[in-house]
Amino acid sequence: MSETTTVVRLRQPGEIDDPLTEVLRAGARQLLAQAIEAEVAAFLAGVKDEKLP
């Protein structure tokens, strides 16, 4: 039973077909990490002088 189909296989999240996609994902991860670190640093700087009663 051999039929021609137009069903396209969806890519899985961990499956990367080209090096450019990997470079872009790595860059996005790095930018996110930097943004989170900056947010944490700003938060800690804002509460460094606060004390519990």
Side-chain angles (χ1 to χ4, degrees):
M1 188 164 143
S2 138
E3 292 182 31
T4 305
T5 181
T6 58
V7 175
V8 177
R9 184 176 166 272
L10 296 176
R11 291 185 183 152
Q12 298 301 313
E15 192 177 301
I16 298 173
D17 288 348
D18 61 305
L20 179 58
T21 300
E22 180 58 36
V23 169
L24 293 173
R25 286 184 179 171
R29 285 186 192 107
Q30 184 178 9
L31 286 174
L32 279 170
Q34 290 173 351
I36 292 169
E37 288 173 5
E39 287 287 328
V40 169
F43 174 77
L44 292 176
V47 298
K48 72 176 182 177
D49 293 329
E50 292 186 22
K51 295 182 180 178
L52 294 174

